[in-house]
Amino acid sequence: MQGKLILAATPMGDIGDASARLRNALATADVVAAEDTRRTRNLAAALEVTITGKVVSFYDQVEVSRAPGLVADMVDGRTVLLVTDAGMPSVSDPGYRLVAACVDAGLAVTCLPGPSAVTTALALSGLHVERFCFDGFPPRKGGPRRAWLSTLVAEPRACVFFEAPHRLVECLDDAVTVLGPDRRAAVCRELTKTYEEVRRGTLGELVAWARDGVRGEITVVLEGAAPTSVAPEDLVSEVEDLVSAGLGLKDACARVAAVTTATVSKRELYEAVLAARVDDENA
């Protein structure tokens, strides 16, 4: 029988967040692929678990070269457990290349859910986060970072991203420049750890706070853009462009309504498109 890949979320700080399934997987997996083998062994010791399988390193720089060997292990019937230093593999951590390789090889992939800085920060932000996007780490340099922020000017979804503490002030400064000082956000620091802190406020308030220095692992949640007032008739051309590209009218209306910051329903768009078509026919 073929083996399988198990992606396992690990605690971000509080060891009590480790699941019973993670404990069992650490103890029984044939191979444990770890972003940092020392940290994984320390985790197992803290959980009073003995790792009986082979432990191999699996960090960003070796992900491509190590994946074929792990796939071969699974083809031979072994179970491979993938863990990163904290949180969920593949979410700004190694993992997705190995998952893709397993999918290509027709191997089973499963997941042990658990801690995630992304969803934890969203829940603590105090912002409207029913719809959100995740952007990993922003560009390190000012120009590319401001270009990235410009894509969020009209983004209606909340955006969550990671940032290094020594770049936080520069990132928030750029956010004030591009998005304005009144856009709301939350800066989450050291989630689940002893010195956990969540600062909520406007970008202008948060950059002033951050100038005193911020330490630890940082997750930022940025409020989505406020809805704008746009008439359905102004969006008809966008719908028709999607229809011309092969999308059905109802689906095109739904897509435009979903991505615009305007408070326009897909029904209003649908009716506006039909009315515009009638006008064109009568012209």
Side-chain angles (χ1 to χ4, degrees):
M1 294 180 61
Q2 290 187 328
K4 63 181 176 180
L5 174 65
I6 302 174
L7 307 173
T10 54
M12 296 183 292
D14 192 325
I15 198 69
D17 291 335
S19 69
R21 296 177 68 195
L22 172 62
R23 288 179 168 87
N24 181 68
L26 284 169
T28 60
D30 299 301
V31 181
V32 177
E35 183 178 12
D36 185 323
T37 57
R38 183 177 59 179
R39 291 186 66 167
T40 297
R41 292 187 186 279
N42 288 341
L43 171 64
L47 295 173
E48 300 181 345
V49 170
T50 299
I51 298 177
T52 58
K54 178 177 65 175
V55 179
V56 299
S57 60
F58 194 79
Y59 50 94
D60 288 330
Q61 289 77 10
V62 301
E63 188 173 1
V64 173
S65 61
R66 287 279 164 81
L70 294 174
V71 168
D73 281 330
M74 287 177 269
V75 169
D76 289 340
R78 298 181 182 89
T79 294
V80 175
L81 174 69
L82 177 61
V83 293
T84 57
D85 292 345
M88 181 63 70
S90 296
V91 183
S92 283
D93 275 327
Y96 85 89
R97 292 184 179 90
L98 182 56
V99 173
C102 289
V103 172
D104 289 342
L107 294 164
V109 181
T110 189
C111 181
L112 308 185
S116 168
V118 174
T119 52
T120 302
L122 287 166
L124 291 173
S125 68
L127 301 172
H128 183 71
V129 295
E130 185 176 56
R131 298 173 63 232
F132 68 91
C133 57
F134 171 60
D135 263 3
F137 281 89
R140 296 187 177 192
K141 295 185 178 180
R145 185 169 54 234
R146 288 188 289 274
W148 164 70
L149 286 164
S150 69
T151 67
L152 302 177
V153 170
E155 172 57 66
R157 299 169 296 177
C159 179
V160 57
F161 59 92
F162 300 145
E163 185 56 287
H166 61 278
R167 289 195 296 269
L168 181 62
V169 170
E170 293 177 352
C171 182
L172 292 176
D173 257 332
D174 285 342
V176 167
T177 299
V178 176
L179 304 174
D182 297 327
R183 189 89 161 246
R184 293 192 302 161
V187 177
C188 306
R189 185 178 74 86
E190 294 290 270
L191 290 171
T192 78
K193 299 178 183 177
T194 302
Y195 298 104
E196 176 180 284
E197 181 181 17
V198 180
R199 284 279 178 164
R200 306 172 183 88
T202 65
L203 287 172
E205 293 168 341
L206 290 171
V207 72
W209 161 75
R211 291 193 196 284
D212 292 333
V214 180
R215 295 182 178 181
E217 296 186 349
I218 305 295
T219 306
V220 179
V221 182
L222 180 67
E223 181 180 50
T228 57
S229 179
V230 176
E233 293 77 14
D234 296 332
L235 300 172
V236 166
S237 61
E238 294 184 32
V239 174
E240 293 289 20
D241 286 343
L242 292 176
V243 172
S244 298
L247 207 61
L249 178 55
K250 289 185 178 179
D251 290 337
C253 291
R255 181 174 297 184
V256 172
V259 301
T260 183
T261 58
T263 54
V264 177
S265 71
K266 59 184 179 182
R267 180 182 178 84
E268 290 173 320
L269 274 178
Y270 186 82
E271 293 175 349
V273 172
L274 295 183
R277 290 178 176 180
V278 170
D279 289 343
D280 288 343
E281 291 175 358
N282 295 334

